[in-house]
């Protein structure tokens, strides 16, 4: 039985492929390289010393997808394919709904046709919208997402719940990621956004390597310990290992639709990140304080208890590791 990984050359997809191969799973990987590079496939093979089948294709291409299900004995699917830029999703909602929601539907319908009913979905903590309480537990209210990207995650979660309600022989894990950062310790794979990054860690990394002049910190008047926004940053390798544990859970007898937060349960401020990055990498990160970014929330972090109790998931990497690994990857490029 093989695991089909869609979007396997992307940031989280590539790290998950490494952890799956290390855990002994056989993989079939697809990616259209719309937001990743072909060299990543070779790097996954270099890191693990293992081989797998790769198809360059769009996961909306139903006939090619069917060919993969015919040619391989697929036992489960992990779906990383999808667009993820919050700002772009506001500009191009139709593209986001087609690629993320229609793509997931084509994939799920093909799975149904070939009798494959184990599915792991890359969701996001963004589905919680404005939190009613902190830390966020999986039973917190979801909805009122603030951008089409977040809404695609919310809609796909709903689609999965409806599928499971219609047929309880499906076995589904929804993983709600907090803020994935860092890179593989080899420095071979990591986050490599095109242009000016929107997210904090890739922006800091470009300041550290002098590609950008200084960081803008979006507000220092939040009700937090130093006034800057607090988030739950999780090392991408810890996050990737969460997918291996989720697959193991789906391999057990009991069927279900399971939802897990993947976070550390610790909140760090923007200034914590800047100071730690400077210290562990011996670099300077010039910054200025600017206006708050529209739609930002003061404090957002997970209660990771459920994933710990049911999956055995515990994030073990520290903030030092996250900052060091992010910089190592950028320096090696
Ligand atoms: C954002 C997305 C979320 C997505 C996540 C991926 C929104 C509303 N949410 O979360 O859907 O899953 O990225 O990691 O966009 N910051 C600065 N300066 C910068 C960039 C960020 O001060 O140049 C601050 C932000 O104000 C925030 C923190 O850094 O307090 C983290 O920001 P970011 O990395 O963009 O992640 P989120 O906003 O938490």
């Amino acid at each position: 039985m093989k695991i089909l990984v869609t979007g396997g050359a992307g940031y989280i997809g590539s790290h998950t492929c490494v952890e799956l191969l290390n855990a002994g799973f056989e993989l079939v990987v697809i990616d259209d390289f719309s937001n990743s590079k072909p060299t990543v496939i070779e790097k996954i093979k270099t890191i693990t010393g293992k081989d797998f089948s790769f198809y360059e294709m769009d996961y909306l291409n139903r006939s090619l997808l069917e060919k993969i299900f015919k040619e391989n004995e697929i036992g489960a699917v992990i779906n990383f394919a999808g667009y993820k830029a919050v700002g772009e999703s506001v500009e191009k909602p139709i593209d986001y709904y087609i690629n993320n929601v229609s793509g997931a539907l084509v994939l799920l319908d093909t799975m149904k046709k070939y009798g494959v009913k184990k599915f792991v979905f890359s969701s996001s903590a963004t589905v919680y919208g404005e939190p009613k309480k902190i830390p966020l537990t999986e039973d917190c209210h979801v909805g009122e997402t603030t951008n089409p990207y977040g809404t695609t995650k919310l809609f796909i979660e709903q689609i999965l719940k409806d599928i499971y309600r219609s047929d309880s022989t499906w076995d589904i894990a929804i993983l709600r990621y907090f803020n994935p950062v860092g890179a593989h310790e080899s420095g071979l794979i990591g986050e490599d956004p095109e242009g000016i990054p929107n997210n904090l860690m890739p922006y800091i990394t470009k300041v550290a390597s002098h590609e950008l002049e200084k960081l803008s910190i979006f507000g220092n008047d939040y009700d937090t310990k130093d006034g800057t926004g607090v988030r739950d940053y999780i090392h991408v390798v810890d996050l990737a290992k969460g997918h291996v544990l989720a697959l193991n859970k789906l391999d057990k007898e009991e069927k279900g639709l399971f939802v897990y937060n993947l976070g550390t349960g610790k909140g760090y401020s923007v200034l914590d990140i800047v100071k730690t990055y400077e210290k562990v990498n011996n670099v300077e990160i010039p910054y200025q304080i600017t206006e708050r970014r529209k739609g930002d929330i003061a404090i957002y972090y997970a209660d990771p208890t459920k994933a710990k109790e049911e999956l055995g998931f515990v994030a073990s990497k520290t903030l030092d590791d996250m900052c060091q690994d992010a910089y190592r990857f950028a320096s090696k490029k």
Side-chain angles (χ1 to χ4, degrees):
M1 286 290 207
K2 292 178 180 170
I3 312 298
L4 172 64
V5 182
T6 70
Y11 175 45
I12 300 172
S14 59
H15 289 83
T16 302
C17 285
V18 167
E19 296 308 319
L20 289 167
L21 290 164
N22 284 344
F25 286 97
E26 282 189 73
L27 304 187
V28 177
V29 177
I30 69 174
D31 206 300
D32 65 356
F33 302 126
S34 56
N35 190 26
S36 59
K37 298 198 172 85
T39 49
V40 171
I41 299 300
E42 288 318 309
K43 288 178 178 165
I44 296 170
K45 293 179 182 173
T46 306
I47 292 169
T48 59
K50 294 192 177 154
D51 204 2
F52 52 86
S53 328
F54 175 75
Y55 297 78
E56 181 177 348
M57 60 168 277
D58 181 347
Y59 80 140
L60 275 150
N61 187 330
R62 173 136 196 166
S63 58
L64 278 181
L65 211 49
E66 292 218 12
K67 185 170 169 274
I68 290 175
F69 279 82
K70 279 187 207 132
E71 285 176 1
N72 300 276
E73 209 185 319
I74 305 290
V77 176
I78 310 187
N79 182 22
F80 294 105
Y83 296 154
K84 61 172 189 179
V86 171
E88 187 186 59
S89 78
V90 177
E91 306 293 318
K92 301 178 179 173
I94 295 177
D95 291 7
Y96 271 68
Y97 287 113
I98 290 179
N99 193 47
N100 293 10
V101 182
S102 305
L105 283 169
V106 169
L107 186 59
L108 288 159
D109 196 33
T110 310
M111 288 175 66
K112 185 172 160 234
K113 179 166 173 186
Y114 289 87
V116 180
K117 293 185 173 178
K118 290 183 194 293
F119 190 69
V120 179
F121 178 58
S122 256
S123 191
S124 165
T126 197
V127 298
Y128 293 117
E130 178 87 39
K132 309 269 180 297
K133 69 161 184 151
I134 291 289
L136 285 148
T137 47
E138 290 81 352
D139 56 5
C140 281
H141 171 80
V142 295
E144 289 135 50
T145 40
T146 52
N147 55 75
Y149 156 75
T151 310
T152 65
K153 296 292 178 190
L154 188 70
F155 284 176
I156 299 166
E157 286 203 6
Q158 185 59 48
I159 289 166
L160 293 171
K161 288 173 191 165
D162 291 339
I163 291 173
Y164 182 70
R165 205 172 296 140
S166 74
D167 174 359
S168 60
T169 63
W170 279 83
D171 218 359
I172 297 169
I174 292 173
L175 305 179
R176 294 182 181 151
Y177 310 153
F178 279 69
N179 290 55
V181 295
H184 192 264
E185 63 181 8
S186 62
L188 290 176
I189 53 172
E191 191 171 17
D192 195 6
E194 296 277 332
I196 298 178
N198 297 306
N199 297 118
L200 181 64
M201 191 68 95
Y203 201 106
I204 290 180
T205 300
K206 288 209 188 251
V207 173
S209 51
H210 306 292
E211 283 173 66
L212 293 170
E213 194 192 326
K214 62 180 162 202
L215 171 72
S216 293
I217 296 184
F218 301 141
N220 66 350
D221 56 353
Y222 285 107
D223 186 14
T224 62
K225 61 172 187 176
D226 58 27
T228 66
V230 168
R231 294 291 181 275
D232 187 335
Y233 297 92
I234 175 167
H235 196 292
V236 66
V237 170
D238 279 331
L239 189 76
K241 288 180 177 162
H243 295 73
V244 177
L245 296 171
L247 264 188
N248 290 341
K249 167 93 183 170
L250 298 191
D251 268 340
K252 296 204 178 108
E253 200 90 330
E254 174 207 5
K255 304 259 178 273
L257 181 139
F258 309 96
V259 182
Y260 298 108
N261 283 340
L262 292 185
T264 64
K266 288 191 204 91
Y268 288 108
S269 72
V270 178
L271 282 172
D272 285 334
I273 306 293
V274 171
K275 300 286 167 232
T276 306
Y277 203 101
E278 289 185 323
K279 179 192 78 183
V280 299
N281 295 316
N282 197 22
V283 291
E284 245 186 277
I285 307 296
Y287 67 83
Q288 61 184 354
I289 307 292
T290 62
E291 293 283 285
R292 290 181 177 194
R293 182 171 66 178
K294 199 168 158 278
D296 266 355
I297 287 156
I299 304 184
Y300 219 70
Y301 64 91
D303 179 337
T305 311
K306 189 175 174 216
K308 182 178 179 193
E309 286 178 358
E310 294 186 18
L311 300 179
F313 175 77
V314 180
S316 62
K317 294 200 180 261
T318 62
L319 187 59
D320 285 12
D321 298 327
M322 301 180 210
C323 294
Q324 245 163 6
D325 292 341
Y327 188 59
R328 183 186 301 115
F329 171 67
S331 312
K332 265 202 172 186
K333 266 199 309 168

